[in-house]
Amino acid sequence: NLTLSEGLVYIGQSSFGGNQQLIEVSIPKSVKVIDNDSFVNCEKLATVKYSGSKDDWKNVSVGEYNKHLLSAKLICDGEEVKITLKAPVITTAKATTKGVKLDWDTVENAAEYKVYRKSYNTSTKKWDSKWKKIQTVKGPEFIDGTVELGTKYKYLIKAVNGDVTKNSKSTSEINFKITPNEKEIQSN
């Protein structure tokens, strides 16, 4: 167990990263920033005790690659906080020269996002029966560089925090093709 001192404002990058012994951490209300990788690969981290309120915790800036910190059981002011996730909303699905670019709204409490895809089979005139996971990402954007020209795709985003998962309510469909002049990629 680790107890950080009251008055501490900033937890630096990679401060406790890779600590396989860390099971519980107590963070004082004074902490305002937890930098990238501060708790990266702390796979046994199960409980985070925060001395402030749930609303105070929302104001702590937590950097990327702190999945284990964000998915641990959170206790604020002595009470366990139930993690809830809203459904991600896909805001952009467009063809680019690098592939299909997806953007979605940031979901509060999401530690990561899983991106799924279905392809349309022109022979059978049917969509794949199952969603295929293509990537897990930290932020609300992704470029799918594994697409094939002339193929239709549907995408689904899942917001994840530990055992809590929320699927996007709608999917985004895109036809990845080259325009007749073959100079630019177009989506429709």
Side-chain angles (χ1 to χ4, degrees):
N1 293 353
L2 173 67
T3 301
L4 301 174
S5 299
E6 183 61 47
L8 180 68
V9 177
Y10 172 80
I11 300 174
Q13 187 169 7
S14 303
S15 295
F16 306 103
N19 186 332
Q20 298 299 314
Q21 310 308 313
L22 189 58
I23 296 170
E24 180 179 297
V25 62
S26 295
I27 299 174
K29 180 180 177 179
S30 58
V31 168
K32 303 297 180 218
V33 176
I34 300 173
D35 206 345
N36 296 340
D37 301 315
S38 294
F39 293 91
V40 68
N41 296 326
C42 294
E43 296 170 2
K44 293 182 181 178
L45 183 58
T47 306
V48 174
K49 292 182 176 178
Y50 179 67
S51 64
S53 68
K54 179 181 173 183
D55 288 335
D56 293 332
W57 178 254
K58 288 180 183 179
N59 292 321
V60 175
S61 174
V62 180
E64 292 185 328
Y65 309 110
N66 285 301
K67 170 180 148 181
H68 296 103
L69 174 81
L70 294 172
S71 60
K73 176 171 65 173
L74 176 62
I75 299 172
C76 293
D77 276 341
E79 289 187 36
E80 184 174 348
V81 176
K82 296 291 182 195
I83 299 296
T84 58
L85 298 172
K86 291 185 178 180
V89 176
I90 299 172
T91 56
T92 305
K94 67 179 181 178
T96 71
T97 55
K98 294 181 181 180
V100 175
K101 182 174 186 340
L102 299 168
D103 295 292
W104 55 91
D105 292 336
T106 300
V107 175
E108 185 179 349
N109 297 320
E112 61 190 12
Y113 302 91
K114 294 183 180 181
V115 181
Y116 292 80
R117 179 180 78 196
K118 280 186 179 184
S119 301
Y120 186 76
N121 185 320
T122 54
S123 308
T124 63
K125 299 194 184 314
K126 291 183 180 180
W127 288 98
D128 294 339
S129 60
K130 294 185 180 181
W131 289 100
K132 177 185 174 190
K133 184 175 110 179
I134 55 173
Q135 191 73 29
T136 300
V137 296
K138 303 295 176 195
E141 62 184 9
F142 174 69
I143 295 178
D144 182 1
T146 64
V147 293
E148 295 179 17
L149 291 172
T151 305
K152 284 185 182 182
Y153 297 99
K154 284 185 181 179
Y155 291 91
L156 173 75
I157 310 298
K158 292 185 179 188
V160 180
N161 187 323
D163 294 333
V164 180
T165 301
K166 191 73 172 189
N167 295 356
S168 52
K169 291 182 179 176
S170 61
T171 60
S172 221
E173 186 177 320
I174 188 166
N175 187 10
F176 191 66
K177 66 179 184 179
I178 292 184
T179 58
N181 64 14
E182 295 191 10
K183 290 186 178 173
E184 61 185 58
I185 307 277
Q186 181 180 51
S187 60
N188 60 351

